[in-house]
Amino acid sequence: MTTETHQASQGRNHITGKYSDIFKYTNKVLDLIEKEDISQEEAAWITKETVNNFRDHVNPGFLAYRKSVTLDGQFAAVEWKDSGPNCFMDVNGKEYIDCLGGFGIYNVGHRHPKVVKAVTNQLNRQALHSQDLLDPLRAILAKIVADITPGDLKYAFFANSGTETVEAALKLAKMYSNRTTFIATTRAFHGKSLGSLSGTAKGVFRKPFLPMIPGFKHVHFGDIEMMRKTMEACAMVGEEVAGVLVEPIQGEGGVILPPDGYLKQLRELCDEFGALLIFDEVQTGMGRTGKMFCCEHYDVVPDIMCLAKAFGGGIMPAGAVIATEEVFKSFFPNPFMHTTTFGGNPLACAAAIATFNVLIEENLPARAAELGDYMMKGLREAAVGYEDKVLEIRGKGLLIGIEFATDEIGYEVSKGLFDNGVLVAGTLINAKTIRIEPPLTITYEQADRVIAEFRAVLGTISLS
Ligand SMILES: *Cc1c(COP(=O)(O)O)cnc(C)c1O
């Protein structure tokens, strides 16, 4: 079809036969996507279609879940657009300050113009890669990643998601070590594909899918003595540890910081037993905790690091696993040992390159540290007098967890915040703890509003 006939046919429902209804439906939706503003009538239609199709074709469980975390009527809040770098707007025009940050996707804010521009420019020239010629942006991004990550991390493999980077890390560690035992930690979250799920710790997500890949053990996060004993025992029985997989700060588990010295001791233990140290920085990386990478706070360099979430700048799904040459060279002889069709595509690489540019230019890691301290202080002050409800407010940079006395109180607070236009993350693994992880571009005014809403909501909760 030529461009002209392509355009001429848009909006016209000239197709007859088997697919005519589907064609009409797609036309209607394409028209809506194209619109800058939608009418009330269109908003109502979008809401109705969304709810009906979630019920009939996505998963009705999502509707039940939303009903349980929002006031009546609010459960059907349907998102439609960004509202500036730090807010979402629903189809009815209600604005939400994004303190969920897509669980850590939006470090440079929503649709940062530089990232949008890089991706659009790339899209206008070439969308995806030939899969045969050498793709320049992959190579250039790999160099940037090598230069910006600490220590001697040097070779990168690009993926489309966090779970894929963990899969790649596990395969790389096996390939390098000829060992099959991995140690992960309690409350860890590494993703939900079968390999990464083996490292993830929450029983409810694992149990129906057992057995996991063989060789996975879990020890308590922060317990270095147990880690040592487990490594010793593994060595004694001839099942030497290939790698220890750990988040430097546990995100999904409820923003759990490592005890003093833990990560350094872990590094030493891994060296002693010839195991690789794998840091999952999918959530903590890209400036979130106040440094470009969380491990820099602790002065520890892993052998393999996983990045995703904010890696694509909130525009493209993208992730990277980066390793030392010593480790990665096991993939040199046959680079096809681990591959992905879309990983490292030109659009994703353009987005990631622009993301690093923005993180550096706008000094966002330092901004995360500053705003994080400000918000944590404000939230703690707001919680004074509610010690029976709020047990602890902790975090680093703009990865903040608020732990409540009970699940019910946590739910009431996130519900109240949502109704007042503040989106927060109730954690999947630990419902008692909600996470505050806004774009690193959040303003002081917005931070003040979040703190004020938190104070107001605490005052309305009758549970204890
Ligand atoms: C979100 C997350 C993952 C999984 O990433 P997906 O892109 O959802 O597959 C893995 N590890 C950590 C630490 C995460 O926070």
Side-chain angles (χ1 to χ4, degrees):
M1 204 189 266
T2 68
T3 309
E4 276 144 68
T5 54
H6 184 71
Q7 279 167 356
S9 67
Q10 278 222 349
R12 273 200 239 141
N13 299 312
H14 60 287
I15 302 287
T16 55
K18 189 175 164 192
Y19 296 122
S20 64
D21 285 347
I22 298 172
F23 184 69
K24 264 188 234 165
Y25 193 70
T26 57
N27 274 337
K28 175 155 184 150
V29 177
L30 289 173
D31 287 346
L32 284 171
I33 291 172
E34 196 175 336
K35 287 197 171 168
E36 273 194 27
D37 292 301
I38 52 169
S39 67
Q40 267 187 342
E41 195 183 33
E42 286 163 337
W45 185 83
I46 292 167
T47 302
K48 178 176 72 84
E49 285 301 306
T50 305
V51 172
N52 289 348
N53 292 336
F54 258 89
R55 185 191 59 225
D56 296 339
H57 302 293
V58 180
N59 185 335
F62 284 115
L63 300 178
Y65 167 79
R66 286 229 48 80
K67 273 193 171 136
S68 75
V69 296
T70 55
L71 286 179
D72 299 342
Q74 285 281 329
F75 91 94
V78 174
E79 65 189 27
W80 191 248
K81 60 181 185 183
D82 293 314
S83 179
N86 307 318
C87 299
F88 285 112
M89 193 172 274
D90 70 19
V91 281
N92 298 314
K94 179 176 169 181
E95 197 180 72
Y96 304 81
I97 299 179
D98 182 15
C99 277
L100 196 155
F103 295 112
I105 301 174
Y106 295 113
N107 292 15
V108 299
H110 299 188
R111 282 187 313 143
H112 191 289
K114 240 183 184 171
V115 184
V116 172
K117 190 172 165 206
V119 173
T120 313
N121 286 341
Q122 179 60 41
L123 182 58
N124 287 338
R125 195 174 58 251
Q126 182 189 357
L128 299 176
H129 39 331
S130 70
Q131 310 277 3
D132 184 55
L133 280 69
L134 294 174
D135 36 346
L137 296 193
R138 181 196 306 262
I140 290 161
L141 177 59
K143 176 191 159 49
I144 293 167
V145 170
D147 286 349
I148 205 162
T149 50
D152 51 356
L153 295 169
K154 187 172 172 196
Y155 282 90
F157 171 82
F158 297 113
N160 308 286
S161 66
T163 200
E164 283 179 47
T165 66
V166 175
E167 297 289 338
L170 298 177
K171 284 179 73 176
L172 185 55
K174 280 193 172 187
M175 191 86 183
Y176 167 75
S177 64
N178 282 314
R179 299 177 177 186
T180 58
T181 304
F182 287 93
I183 303 178
T185 57
T186 50
R187 291 184 156 194
F189 186 82
H190 299 292
K192 289 181 184 163
S193 58
L194 283 168
S196 68
L197 184 61
S198 305
T200 291
K202 181 98 175 174
V204 68
F205 293 139
R206 304 173 91 247
K207 222 166 177 178
F209 309 108
L210 293 171
M212 296 284 109
I213 59 170
F216 257 92
K217 303 189 186 313
H218 286 80
V219 305
H220 281 88
F221 181 75
D223 187 341
I224 198 71
E225 270 321 300
M226 189 52 104
M227 185 67 78
R228 165 175 288 282
K229 286 193 175 124
T230 308
M231 287 228 203
E232 273 170 8
C234 287
M236 285 166 79
V237 300
E239 296 181 16
E240 286 83 0
V241 175
V244 173
L245 173 63
V246 68
E247 300 152 86
I249 293 176
Q250 294 189 319
E252 200 80 20
V255 189
I256 306 183
L257 280 75
D260 286 345
Y262 177 65
L263 297 176
K264 261 220 157 98
Q265 290 165 322
L266 212 50
R267 173 75 272 179
E268 285 159 15
L269 214 49
C270 283
D271 291 342
E272 187 182 332
F273 286 88
L276 298 177
L277 180 59
I278 307 169
F279 276 169
D280 179 346
E281 290 233 24
V282 166
Q283 191 160 163
T284 54
M286 311 300 287
R288 169 61 51 191
T289 68
K291 300 247 185 216
M292 192 63 84
F293 304 102
C294 184
C295 63
E296 295 172 58
H297 287 292
Y298 305 99
D299 214 6
V300 177
V301 181
D303 301 291
I304 304 177
M305 184 193 277
C306 299
L307 299 172
K309 292 213 166 96
F311 188 72
I315 302 286
M316 293 298 298
V321 57
I322 170 133
T324 60
E325 178 165 1
E326 164 71 13
V327 172
F328 201 94
K329 70 174 194 269
S330 40
F331 277 172
F332 287 175
N334 185 351
F336 298 101
M337 286 308 285
H338 189 67
T339 58
T340 152
T341 300
F342 291 124
N345 71 71
L347 296 175
C349 289
I353 292 166
T355 301
F356 281 118
N357 180 287
V358 170
L359 286 167
I360 295 166
E361 181 171 39
E362 298 182 15
N363 210 5
L364 289 180
R367 196 184 156 79
E370 198 181 300
L371 264 290
D373 286 348
Y374 182 79
M375 284 193 83
M376 204 128 57
K377 184 164 165 281
L379 291 167
R380 281 177 179 153
E381 281 167 9
V384 169
Y386 299 102
E387 288 77 9
D388 55 331
K389 300 190 174 78
V390 181
L391 298 188
E392 192 181 26
I393 298 175
R394 56 178 177 257
K396 222 175 185 50
L398 281 169
L399 182 58
I400 300 170
I402 307 176
E403 186 173 335
F404 298 94
T406 63
D407 286 302
E408 288 72 22
I409 295 170
Y411 268 133
E412 287 299 318
V413 170
S414 40
K415 183 192 294 193
L417 287 173
F418 181 86
D419 292 330
N420 292 314
V422 177
L423 211 56
V424 295
T427 64
L428 290 174
I429 286 188
N430 188 351
K432 269 174 64 179
T433 305
I434 61 173
R435 263 177 294 165
I436 307 280
E437 42 181 322
L440 311 185
T441 51
I442 190 171
T443 64
Y444 279 98
E445 290 74 18
Q446 288 165 332
D448 285 340
R449 246 212 64 209
V450 172
I451 293 160
E453 296 292 358
F454 178 62
R455 181 182 287 115
V457 164
L458 280 178
T460 64
I461 290 175
S462 49
L463 297 162
S464 65

